[in-house]
Amino acid sequence: MKLTGANVLMDEPSGDFDAHAHVFEKDLPFALGRRYTPTNSATLPMLSDNLRTVGLDGALLVQPSFLGCDNSYLIEALEVGKNSDLTFRGVAVVSQDASEQDLVGLAKAQVIGLRLNLIKREQIEQFNIEDWSNVLSMANTLGWHVELHCESHDILSILPALLDRCERIVVDHFGRPNEKAPLECPGFKYLVGNRSGQLFVKVSAPYRVFANSPTSALHNKAAPLFSELLSALGPSRLMWGSDWPWTQHEHLGLTYEKTRAWYSSWENETQDD
């Protein structure tokens, strides 16, 4: 069994992809009000070395929150990636008033999705789907998916409306359920109960779900989430992502091989059931 969600979204006939990675440099102009400021760079050549080490064919580059709506570095990376033996596509962050011309320009640069980063309370409170109507409609026209990053307790207030408007929705990081009882979270239950075929979930970054657990426990903590999502959605709607370079969690001492090994282990354990 192999997760094929990334292949579907990237419109690639074959291959094995990292569906969630970031590239940036530490001296870029960062967004005001950001939650985090990187102290090290994470470049496309560095990511490429990691991809080759574990035998992957490319990656989906996701605009990090601290760069805001300035997608210029992402576009530069995608342009460089055109000359690589690996395949890269991008997920941009845009404002609600982004023009059709802006979005078409991003599509020409090999962006295939937009990210709604609603992890902060003020972002949730300010989000009005009617304000995004034109952008979401254009995303459908371009064949893009919409990536949702929010806490599980906000899923029920946002996701149903997005599913009504968007052809494909990708939910980040297992849906970020509450770590004390993740399988019982209403938001997580909504994910595993969805039968629309529009919904994809990234099985990535368990440390963003189990923030108070030691690194050694993350594999076992996330395994039931993986199993539930796989059983409910199937491999075609799950996407593995490394979340490289693990922003805000660099202290965990993760390696790319380790994050890939988590997925391989979850996969093997599911096959053994």
Side-chain angles (χ1 to χ4, degrees), residues 28-273:
L28 292 173
F30 298 123
L32 298 176
R34 60 190 178 276
R35 295 177 292 123
Y36 164 85
T37 300
T39 57
N40 294 298
S41 297
T43 64
L44 191 68
M46 294 164 66
L47 174 60
S48 297
D49 287 344
N50 283 317
L51 294 168
R52 294 189 186 99
T53 295
V54 299
L56 296 182
D57 300 295
L60 192 55
L61 307 179
V62 178
Q63 173 80 342
S65 62
F66 48 81
L67 290 180
C69 296
D70 182 357
N71 297 286
S72 55
Y73 188 82
L74 173 64
I75 292 171
E76 290 176 14
L78 290 170
E79 184 63 30
V80 171
K82 292 177 182 179
N83 298 316
S84 173
D85 59 313
L86 302 170
T87 298
F88 298 99
R89 297 290 186 270
V91 177
V93 172
V94 303
S95 65
Q96 64 192 36
D97 57 357
S99 69
E100 179 177 333
Q101 182 179 5
D102 293 334
L103 300 177
V104 169
L106 289 169
K108 290 179 178 178
Q110 301 197 53
V111 165
I112 61 168
L114 67 88
R115 189 186 202 197
L116 295 176
N117 200 338
L118 305 177
I119 204 69
K120 294 196 295 186
R121 177 49 41 191
E122 57 265 35
Q123 293 169 323
I124 291 290
E125 293 172 349
Q126 294 169 8
F127 181 76
N128 182 341
I129 196 166
E130 296 302 328
D131 295 337
W132 289 84
S133 179
N134 291 337
V135 169
L136 296 178
S137 176
M138 192 61 192
N140 287 335
T141 299
L142 292 169
W144 285 5
H145 67 276
V146 174
E147 179 180 319
L148 175 63
H149 185 209
C150 70
E151 300 285 358
S152 181
H153 55 253
D154 291 312
I155 282 178
L156 291 178
S157 65
I158 299 171
L159 188 53
L162 284 176
L163 288 168
D164 284 342
R165 301 287 186 106
C166 305
E167 293 180 0
R168 288 181 293 183
I169 302 292
V170 179
V171 177
D172 277 347
H173 309 323
F174 295 95
R176 296 192 63 151
N178 184 292
E179 68 177 308
K180 293 183 178 179
L183 296 177
E184 301 306 314
C185 282
F188 187 80
K189 286 186 172 182
Y190 183 86
L191 297 182
V192 298
N194 185 274
R195 296 294 184 266
S196 68
Q198 300 165 259
L199 184 66
F200 296 74
V201 178
K202 292 188 181 180
V203 287
S204 57
Y207 41 85
R208 299 193 189 277
V209 178
F210 303 102
N212 296 308
S213 296
T215 307
S216 59
L218 292 174
H219 164 268
N220 289 339
K221 290 273 190 178
L225 301 180
F226 180 90
S227 180
E228 286 283 322
L229 289 166
L230 180 63
S231 177
L233 302 180
S236 65
R237 291 197 283 139
L238 292 192
M239 308 167 66
W240 171 79
S242 67
D243 196 36
W244 186 85
W246 319 294
T247 55
Q248 300 186 67
H249 295 272
E250 296 90 341
H251 63 281
L252 296 178
L254 297 172
T255 64
Y256 199 90
E257 292 89 343
K258 180 68 173 179
T259 60
R260 184 61 177 176
W262 284 337
Y263 158 63
S264 298
S265 183
W266 296 328
E267 181 185 41
N268 292 334
E269 289 170 7
T270 303
Q271 291 175 331
D272 292 339
D273 289 345

